[in-house]
Amino acid sequence: MAEQGSEEKTESPSQKKRDDAKKEGQVAFSKEASSAALLGAFLLLFYFSGNVMLEAYKESLIFTFENIYLAELDIPLVEKLFKIFIKSSTMMVIPFFATTIVVGVFASVAQVGINFTFKPMVPKLEKLSPLKGITRIFSKQAVSDLFKSLFKMGFIFYIGYYTFMENLEIIASFTSTDPKNLLIDSFTIIGIFVFRLFLALLALAVFDYMFQRWDLEQKLRMSKQELKEELKQSEGDPVLKSRIRQIQQQLSQARMMQDVPKADVIVKNPTHFAIAMLYDRETMTAPQIIAKGADHTAKRIIEIAEENKIIVYENPTVARGLYFQVEIGDNVPEVFFKAIAEILAFVYKTKKKRR
């Protein structure tokens, strides 16, 4: 029971998990948002350039009907009709084609950012499994898609029915309306219907995008054990890192102990601290700390000093101050000069007596 509880995916996904999922193509993407953006772009396109496209189409129709009754259609006339048809078709198709590409790219980038990956296109054998196929049919995503499709169909029907009933009198008068007003009224009713459809699709797109983000978040959730494993992979095993630090400290301490015999004096607190100092009047401007330690390390420094007949001077204040304020390899600060001068004078005097 404890193992099952620990494997529950209760934690929010890490940034690495999100990045890996994005590389695999697992992103919060709403097709409804792209559809709403495309429909809105088409409405704007019609609003600002619909007259230009319709004029080009009208010119081609007028020219065709004016010349189609001719008994003899020679090659130059056919070519001219064909060119006009191509021109009007181009004026109608190119804006929609360009809008589809631009809006499609923009809608994708707005939702997931710039993310080039071909992994979702790679065929997977598990998709050929009948059992997996049945599972996908009854999955949460499939149920969501079904409800969205039913909702869209119902909303389209409702909007179409409401728009039809609202303009029933105008539609009933189409039989007695001249062609020009018939075309204008028809486009007006269709425009109202499409605009209402766009608003409904926009609301659905907002809801669907929020659902896709929530669903992706649920899929990427991690267990505590997965978080621990990821942390080990990204930052290294804490136990191993601790062991490496311990070995590094041991090596550093060993090198430090090798320098103790070079010292001129060891300043100690009776039991807690020991500082090894080196001073060469000809090459140094101030004494240098070549080793220091506390407790067991301090005891070992003093033992090495005694083995090598190095003078050990007891001064708790200086020993404690140097231990906390000066690092190995640094010179003694000026604030300690007076005390260190007295210690070195004692050292030189003692060495002279020994000689």
Side-chain angles (χ1 to χ4, degrees):
M1 293 295 291
E3 289 184 6
Q4 290 179 353
S6 63
E7 290 301 319
E8 291 180 0
K9 298 183 182 296
T10 58
E11 307 301 316
S12 298
S14 63
Q15 187 59 44
K16 182 179 181 301
K17 184 73 176 286
R18 296 179 194 274
D19 294 339
D20 291 343
K22 191 173 182 180
K23 292 177 182 177
E24 295 289 335
Q26 297 182 30
V27 292
F29 181 79
S30 171
K31 295 178 182 177
E32 311 304 329
S34 298
S35 300
L38 191 59
L39 184 57
F42 284 162
L43 284 172
L44 290 174
L45 182 65
F46 263 120
Y47 183 79
F48 288 107
S49 59
N51 291 334
V52 176
M53 291 187 289
L54 290 176
E55 282 295 325
Y57 190 64
K58 185 177 73 173
E59 288 178 7
S60 66
L61 286 178
I62 292 172
F63 183 85
T64 301
F65 283 114
E66 285 179 348
N67 295 275
I68 199 68
Y69 67 90
L70 296 176
E72 295 181 2
L73 290 175
D74 54 4
I75 298 300
L77 180 59
V78 172
E79 289 181 353
K80 190 172 184 180
L81 288 173
F82 182 75
K83 289 179 180 179
I84 293 175
F85 174 76
I86 293 296
K87 179 182 177 182
S88 61
S89 300
T90 302
M91 291 292 293
M92 293 288 289
V93 172
I94 285 182
F96 287 99
F97 182 74
T99 301
T100 302
I101 294 176
V102 173
V103 174
V105 172
F106 176 78
S108 299
V109 172
Q111 292 185 74
V112 302
I114 299 176
N115 182 38
F116 295 102
T117 177
F118 296 98
K119 290 189 177 181
M121 301 172 61
V122 177
K124 296 181 180 179
L125 295 177
E126 62 181 18
K127 291 186 177 180
L128 301 177
S129 170
L131 183 60
K132 292 283 186 180
I134 295 173
T135 304
R136 285 196 297 271
I137 291 174
F138 298 99
S139 66
K140 183 168 53 178
Q141 184 66 41
V143 173
S144 170
D145 291 340
L146 175 62
F147 275 107
K148 282 189 295 184
S149 299
L150 293 175
F151 178 81
K152 283 194 294 184
M153 290 174 61
F155 231 95
I156 292 172
F157 175 79
Y158 173 76
I159 293 172
Y161 175 77
Y162 181 81
T163 306
F164 176 81
M165 295 303 295
E166 187 181 43
N167 297 277
L168 186 58
E169 293 182 2
I170 299 175
I171 295 172
S173 66
F174 279 175
T175 55
S176 59
T177 305
D178 62 275
K180 182 178 180 181
N181 289 329
L182 174 64
L183 191 63
I184 293 173
D185 292 340
S186 298
F187 272 105
T188 302
I189 294 172
I190 293 173
I192 293 172
F193 168 73
V194 174
F195 180 72
R196 289 173 176 173
L197 183 62
F198 164 70
L199 294 179
L201 195 59
L202 182 63
L204 177 62
V206 172
F207 172 79
D208 183 58
Y209 180 69
M210 298 303 294
F211 172 78
Q212 294 297 335
R213 292 194 62 174
W214 175 84
D215 186 53
L216 179 65
E217 190 76 8
Q218 298 305 308
K219 290 178 181 177
L220 297 181
R221 289 184 80 85
M222 305 172 68
S223 64
K224 293 182 179 179
Q225 184 62 31
E226 287 176 331
L227 283 174
K228 290 181 181 178
E229 291 297 327
E230 185 180 288
L231 186 63
K232 285 183 180 180
Q233 293 176 2
S234 60
E235 297 186 2
D237 191 339
V239 177
L240 180 60
K241 290 178 69 176
S242 176
R243 178 59 180 161
I244 291 174
R245 281 197 300 268
Q246 184 180 359
I247 293 173
Q248 289 174 339
Q249 290 174 355
Q250 290 175 351
L251 292 174
S252 177
Q253 189 173 7
R255 288 193 298 269
M256 182 183 70
M257 293 302 181
Q258 291 175 358
D259 291 334
V260 172
K262 303 175 185 178
D264 291 311
V265 62
I266 307 297
V267 183
K268 73 170 186 174
N269 180 314
T271 56
H272 296 293
F273 304 107
I275 310 296
M277 285 191 299
L278 173 67
Y279 182 56
D280 187 341
R281 296 179 182 178
E282 297 180 358
T283 60
M284 296 182 179
T285 58
Q288 186 183 57
I289 306 300
I290 60 173
K292 70 175 184 176
D295 300 327
H296 176 74
T297 305
K299 183 179 179 182
R300 181 58 185 153
I301 290 174
I302 293 171
E303 289 175 355
I304 294 175
E306 291 174 347
E307 291 171 2
N308 290 272
K309 298 181 179 180
I310 298 172
I311 298 171
V312 179
Y313 188 92
E314 184 175 324
N315 189 321
T317 303
V318 174
R320 191 182 305 108
L322 290 175
Y323 181 84
F324 288 109
Q325 298 181 39
V326 187
E327 297 298 326
I328 296 173
D330 293 344
N331 291 335
V332 173
E334 189 175 350
V335 68
F336 293 99
F337 278 4
K338 183 177 180 181
I340 296 302
E342 294 176 357
I343 294 172
L344 290 175
F346 171 80
V347 169
Y348 295 146
K349 186 177 180 180
T350 303
K351 286 183 176 180
K352 188 175 181 181
K353 286 182 178 179
R354 287 180 180 177
R355 286 196 296 267

